């Protein structure tokens, strides 16, 4: 094997691939997109002249050559880690720094409070600067001016690293005396008036075209696949505002379940499952390749993912 052709990052990919035996999970673990991980596996196969992982009915299985390589790869990575460890030390309990995080109000309401609680214990000197999607551009992230962005994204530059924090279902929030509760089904749901709330990606938002169903998001796409359409009276980009409006009117708001559960103790509203199947929402975290190897950044990313898993 010619070292001039080798990319040491590929050894990291191989180690995780052999441990996970699943391209999607390996990509999530490394903060890569699935296409990037698949491309990494292709390069590994070319580098070693072996399939390494073969798809079977039991899933991806390692070849004999891969099994031989696994302990050697782990030993090599451990040795490399020892070489560079002095420059990567990070002690969170003594750290003093600010992390700039762009978060949608969905992420800010559901993820940030437990994250902050954990920081008070493990890293009291770390502060958070929470920014809104309209505050940040892809260029800001690419240049490392923003540590990470947390939202649901329609698209993402291929150079960015990313990881899924969690997947979420949807729930409907409405006030307890909403007439729809007397006969709650798809027909009464579509006959009611609704609050639309969404803000994906980053950058300054633009006005919504109610006729452009494909750009209205998960809920309206799901309804549109049945050849139907809901009546939207209010368009907003803030989940908290949407749920407040649902509490004060006969309007219905369909929001991610983790957001809806924040109102579960409110005696003035009730939560119901949507009368239509809606695809899962994925809350993602993305960051610049410039920050991929930063020890403080790696620590914060792990903490965010851990908090997400606990929730």
């Amino acid at each position: 094997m010619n070292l001039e052709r080798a990319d040491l990052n590929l050894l990291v990919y191989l180690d995780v691939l052999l441990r996970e035996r699943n391209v999607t999970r390996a990509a999530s673990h490394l903060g890569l997109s699935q296409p990037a991980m698949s491309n990494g596996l292709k390069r590994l196969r070319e580098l070693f002249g072996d399939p390494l992982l073969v798809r079977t009915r039991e899933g991806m299985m390692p070849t004999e050559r891969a099994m031989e390589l696994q302990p050697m790869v782990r030993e090599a990575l451990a040795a490399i880690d020892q070489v560079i460890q002095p420059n990567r030390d990070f002690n969170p309990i003594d750290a003093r720094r600010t992390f700039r995080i762009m978060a949608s109000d969905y992420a800010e309401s559901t993820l940030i409070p437990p994250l902050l609680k954990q920081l008070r214990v493990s890293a009291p000197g770390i502060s958070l600067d929470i920014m809104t999607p309209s505050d940040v551009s892809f260029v800001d992230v690419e240049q490392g001016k923003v540590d990470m962005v947390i939202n649901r994204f329609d698209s993402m530059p291929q150079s960015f690293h990313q990881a899924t924090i969690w997947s979420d279902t949807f729930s409907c929030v409405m006030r307890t005396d909403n007439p729809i509760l007397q006969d709650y089904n798809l027909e009464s749901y579509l006959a009611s008036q609704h609050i639309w709330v969404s803000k994906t990606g980053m950058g300054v938002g633009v006005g919504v075209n109610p006729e452009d169903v494909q750009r209205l998001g998960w809920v309206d796409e799901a309804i549109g696949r049945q050849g139907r359409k809901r009546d939207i009276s209010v368009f907003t980009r803030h989940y908290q505002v949407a749920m407040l409006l649902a509490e004060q009117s006969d309007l219905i708001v369909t929001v991610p379940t983790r957001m809806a559960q924040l109102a579960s103790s409110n005696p003035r509203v009730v939560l119901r499952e949507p009368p239509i199947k809606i695809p899962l929402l994925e809350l993602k975290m993305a960051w610049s390749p410039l920050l991929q190897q930063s020890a403080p950044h790696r620590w914060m990313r792990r903490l965010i993912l851990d908090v997400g898993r606990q929730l």
Side-chain angles (χ1 to χ4, degrees):
M1 190 169 63
N2 189 344
L3 283 176
E4 292 181 358
R5 296 172 48 229
D7 177 352
L8 290 180
N9 283 322
L10 291 177
L11 295 183
V12 178
Y13 295 2
L14 180 58
D15 180 50
V16 177
L17 280 166
L18 293 179
R19 185 169 66 247
E20 297 290 342
R21 299 187 182 185
N22 181 285
V23 172
T24 301
R25 288 200 300 269
S28 178
H29 180 86
L30 291 171
L32 299 172
S33 65
Q34 185 169 340
M37 193 75 253
S38 296
N39 182 59
L41 178 56
K42 178 183 176 183
R43 293 170 61 195
L44 281 163
R45 286 167 169 166
E46 293 172 352
L47 187 64
F48 289 102
D50 187 90
L52 298 175
L53 286 168
V54 179
R55 191 176 302 279
T56 70
R57 285 191 294 182
E58 286 74 35
M60 298 287 279
M61 300 298 293
T63 63
E64 183 178 353
R65 175 61 171 152
M67 295 300 291
E68 293 175 354
L69 287 170
Q70 190 169 25
M72 292 187 286
V73 168
R74 287 183 177 175
E75 184 177 349
L77 290 175
I80 293 171
D81 190 65
Q82 286 297 316
V83 171
I84 62 178
Q85 186 64 36
N87 295 323
R88 296 171 56 202
D89 287 342
F90 176 68
N91 185 2
I93 199 69
D94 296 325
R96 295 290 183 273
R97 64 163 291 171
T98 298
F99 281 90
R100 290 182 174 83
I101 302 176
M102 184 228 84
S104 63
D105 75 320
Y106 164 56
E108 191 172 11
S109 299
T110 56
L111 175 69
I112 299 301
L115 173 63
L116 188 60
K117 182 179 180 180
Q118 185 62 43
L119 284 173
R120 295 305 90 201
V121 175
S122 57
I126 286 180
S127 58
L128 302 180
D129 179 8
I130 308 299
M131 311 174 78
T132 69
S134 60
D135 293 331
V136 177
S137 69
F138 282 126
V139 174
D140 294 328
V141 181
E142 186 178 40
Q143 294 177 351
K145 295 178 181 178
V146 177
D147 287 286
M148 56 202 66
V149 292
I150 301 175
N151 202 347
R152 50 196 181 102
F153 297 95
D154 292 331
S155 61
M156 180 73 62
Q158 277 199 329
S159 62
F160 284 14
H161 294 276
Q162 59 180 297
T164 300
I165 298 174
W166 65 51
S167 296
D168 202 357
T169 58
F170 283 82
S171 294
C172 298
V173 179
M174 62 200 83
R175 70 179 187 177
T176 53
D177 59 350
N178 192 313
I180 192 179
L181 292 171
Q182 299 174 15
D183 186 21
Y184 182 67
N185 54 45
L186 179 58
E187 294 305 320
S188 61
Y189 176 84
L190 294 178
S192 300
Q193 293 188 319
H194 295 259
I195 305 166
W196 176 96
V197 53
S198 182
K199 181 66 173 77
T200 61
M202 294 180 290
V204 178
V206 295
V208 175
N209 178 4
E211 303 303 320
D212 191 354
V213 173
Q214 287 189 337
R215 294 185 64 85
L216 290 180
W218 281 265
V219 177
D220 295 279
E221 285 184 17
I223 296 171
R225 280 194 289 273
Q226 295 196 12
R228 310 294 293 274
K229 184 179 178 181
R230 61 175 176 164
D231 185 2
I232 302 173
S233 296
V234 178
F235 294 86
T236 180
R237 278 72 176 170
H238 302 282
Y239 288 99
Q240 294 281 12
V241 170
M243 292 200 297
L244 182 62
L245 292 174
E247 176 187 334
Q248 298 178 354
S249 68
D250 286 341
L251 299 175
I252 299 170
V253 60
T254 305
V255 296
T257 297
R258 282 184 173 85
M259 190 73 197
Q261 287 173 342
L262 296 179
S264 60
S265 61
N266 184 345
R268 293 180 294 277
V269 300
V270 295
L271 277 59
R272 293 288 184 271
E273 288 188 17
I276 189 171
K277 185 176 178 59
I278 304 172
L280 291 175
L281 173 153
E282 285 193 333
L283 183 68
K284 289 184 174 291
M285 171 173 59
W287 60 93
S288 168
L290 296 177
L291 298 172
Q292 171 68 4
Q293 302 303 328
S294 163
H297 204 271
R298 289 162 64 93
W299 178 85
M300 177 58 81
R301 296 196 307 262
R302 285 195 299 269
L303 180 63
I304 289 173
L305 293 175
D306 285 345
V307 170
R309 278 191 288 268
Q310 291 169 16
L311 292 176

